[in-house]
């Protein structure tokens, strides 16, 4: 248990502390740029998925720089939106490396988008819908845009994109929910802990995390392109891993704010002592010798006392299932440890 707590603390510390490495970043950016070997954009019939992936690499390098500029200027909302765009661009680039038919799908989606862009001409009576449809038909068939989640799911099954689904779930989904869409989550950012309304919303992410995710996306796609080109990927993989490991998720920021508002500092030492006591019991022979019902009752009581510092209603319908899950997992680990250490 203490190893888990230590890991969580270290992740938070890494996410909060600065991580200056300008020389390394320049080397990675230069190496990533060298992977873009397409000198001029080919005709539609000659465009390949690899060409699109290289174009996505250029896009990511630009978004990385813009995210850093926005963060340096303390433009938090802008840095988040740019980092979200970097995640989407990274997933598209990775997807292109494994779906040769992506060019046709992108073209079809682009034709549909063109129709949507000029749609107001029809609304204003400048041109008829039939004329617009006929004009679009001359470019080819229309199609729906690529689904980001589906791209992440496919990419996640490949060596180049392992972790793509985690990137999508941890960062793309929450930034879309909290920052992009008009919904309850984005509106409630303007409501303070004491239910007062604020013109300046709470920002459920950090500027440094936004920068690090844009950096990680550059490393991920560059590594995949390098592997396709049979170039050493070490520098890109290490760069992506180092920055991804230092990014705090929006959910962690939201949870941290909730803890800050609900936890009393004076209660933390007692909670820590209870945690150490529960750990000692979990690894003791006594836990193995206790009857299952006795063991469960003690674990449940200690765990409830530890969580009481959060001032949560552990019997509430929303928190009870989570509470029960952690108790069950802890009991399973105690049983496994006891069997391995004190069992026959």
């Amino acid at each position: 248990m203490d190893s888990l707590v230590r890991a969580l603390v270290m992740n938070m510390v890494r996410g909060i502390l600065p991580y200056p490495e300008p020389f390394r970043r320049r080397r990675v950016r230069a190496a990533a740029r060298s992977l873009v070997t397409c000198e001029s954009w080919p005709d539609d019939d000659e465009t390949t998925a690899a060409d699109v992936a290289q174009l996505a690499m250029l896009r990511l390098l630009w978004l990385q720089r813009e995210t850093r500029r926005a963060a340096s200027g303390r433009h938090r909302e802008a840095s988040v939106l740019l980092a979200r765009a970097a995640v989407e661009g990274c997933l598209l680039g990775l997807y292109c490396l494994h779906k040769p038919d992506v060019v046709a799908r992108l073209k079809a989606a682009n034709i549909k988008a063109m129709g949507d862009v000029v749609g107001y001409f029809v609304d204003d009576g400048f041109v008829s819908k039939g004329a617009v449809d006929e004009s679009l038909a001359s470019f080819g068939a229309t199609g729906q845009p690529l689904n980001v989640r589906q791209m992440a799911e496919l990419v996640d099954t490949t060596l180049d994109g392992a972790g793509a689904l985690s990137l999508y779930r941890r960062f793309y989904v929450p930034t879309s929910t909290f920052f992009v869409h008009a919904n309850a989550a984005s509106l409630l950012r303007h409501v303070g802990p004491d239910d007062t309304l604020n013109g300046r919303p709470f920002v459920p992410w950090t500027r440094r995390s936004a920068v690090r995710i844009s950096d990680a996306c550059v490393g991920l796609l560059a590594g995949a392109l390098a592997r396709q080109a049979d170039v050493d990927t070490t520098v890109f993989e290490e760069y992506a891993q180092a920055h991804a490991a230092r990014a705090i998720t929006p959910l962690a920021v939201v949870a941290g704010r909730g803890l800050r508002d609900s936890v009393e500092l004076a209660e933390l030492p007692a909670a820590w002592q209870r945690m150490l006591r529960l750990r000692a019991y979990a690894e003791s022979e006594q836990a193995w010798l206790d009857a299952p019902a006795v063991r469960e009752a003690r674990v449940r009581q200690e765990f409830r006392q530890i969580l009481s510092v959060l001032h949560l209603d552990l019997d509430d319908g929303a928190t009870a299932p989570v509470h029960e899950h952690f108790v069950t997992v802890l009991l399973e680990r105690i049983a496994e440890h006891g069997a391995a250490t004190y069992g026959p």
Side-chain angles (χ1 to χ4, degrees):
M1 183 188 303
D2 59 336
S3 61
L4 177 60
V5 173
R6 191 181 303 112
L8 290 174
V9 172
M10 288 305 300
N11 286 339
M12 293 299 294
V13 170
R14 282 198 299 264
I16 294 172
L17 294 179
Y19 186 53
E21 30 88 87
F23 299 110
R24 182 190 189 189
R25 184 170 65 253
R26 290 193 187 99
R27 290 195 301 269
V28 169
R29 286 179 58 84
R33 180 62 180 85
S34 69
L35 296 171
V36 182
T37 58
C38 180
E39 296 182 359
S40 60
W41 193 247
D43 296 334
D44 286 353
D45 295 338
E46 298 177 356
T47 303
T48 66
D51 294 331
V52 179
Q54 291 183 28
L55 202 59
M57 188 74 258
L58 281 181
R59 174 72 174 159
L60 281 182
L61 289 170
W62 171 252
L63 289 172
Q64 179 191 31
R65 177 170 291 174
E66 289 299 293
T67 304
R68 287 188 167 275
R69 286 176 176 172
S72 297
R74 305 187 69 82
H75 304 302
R76 297 187 178 185
E77 201 91 5
S79 62
V80 171
L81 297 178
L82 289 164
R84 176 185 179 273
V87 173
E88 187 171 2
C90 177
L91 293 176
L92 174 59
L94 293 171
Y95 183 80
C96 290
L97 295 176
H98 301 283
K99 292 291 288 184
D101 66 337
V102 71
V103 175
R105 296 186 60 187
L106 286 171
K107 180 181 177 181
N110 191 45
I111 295 172
K112 181 182 183 302
M114 289 169 55
D116 295 337
V117 168
V118 301
Y120 74 94
F121 285 161
V122 177
D123 298 336
D124 293 344
F126 289 115
V127 68
S128 67
K129 186 177 184 303
V132 171
D133 292 342
E134 184 177 350
S135 177
L136 291 175
S138 67
F139 293 100
T142 61
Q144 295 298 320
L146 296 174
N147 183 280
V148 180
R149 178 181 60 81
Q150 292 175 355
M151 287 194 296
E153 289 175 344
L154 182 140
V155 169
D156 202 61
T157 63
T158 68
L159 177 62
D160 291 339
L165 193 57
S166 176
L167 184 68
Y168 168 79
R169 287 176 172 166
R170 290 171 180 265
F171 300 103
Y172 185 84
V173 171
T175 51
S176 299
T177 300
F178 288 120
F179 293 92
V180 176
H181 304 310
N183 53 29
S186 61
L187 294 178
L188 287 173
R189 290 172 54 202
H190 290 269
V191 180
D194 55 354
D195 294 333
T196 57
L197 302 186
N198 300 316
R200 183 176 183 178
F202 163 65
V203 183
W205 210 20
T206 65
R207 290 178 294 118
R208 282 179 178 161
S209 292
V211 167
R212 286 163 185 171
I213 285 301
S214 68
D215 290 339
C217 287
V218 167
L220 284 172
L221 183 55
L225 285 172
R227 189 174 290 109
Q228 293 277 331
D230 198 22
V231 176
D232 184 28
T233 63
T234 303
V235 63
F236 301 121
E237 291 173 351
E238 291 179 350
Y239 185 79
Q241 292 171 3
H243 286 275
R246 287 170 170 79
I248 303 173
T249 65
L251 180 59
V253 176
V254 173
R257 184 197 187 192
L259 290 175
R260 183 194 65 189
D261 295 335
S262 63
V263 174
E264 297 291 339
L265 293 180
E267 297 176 328
L268 292 179
W272 179 252
Q273 290 300 320
R274 293 190 184 107
M275 188 178 298
L276 294 178
R277 187 169 60 202
L278 178 57
R279 173 183 178 272
Y281 173 74
E283 297 179 351
S284 68
E285 186 177 8
Q286 183 62 48
W288 172 248
L289 296 175
D290 283 342
V294 174
R295 184 190 310 152
E296 178 179 352
R298 179 164 179 176
V299 167
R300 192 175 294 278
Q301 178 184 9
E302 292 286 352
F303 199 65
R304 182 178 288 270
Q305 289 179 344
I306 293 171
L307 293 182
S308 65
V309 70
L310 304 179
H311 301 286
L312 298 174
D313 182 1
L314 299 181
D315 297 319
D316 180 76
T319 57
V322 179
H323 175 227
E324 288 299 318
H325 169 76
F326 281 110
V327 169
T328 301
V329 170
L330 187 55
L331 288 171
E332 291 175 352
R333 292 187 178 181
I334 291 175
E336 292 172 358
H337 175 78
T341 306
Y342 307 108

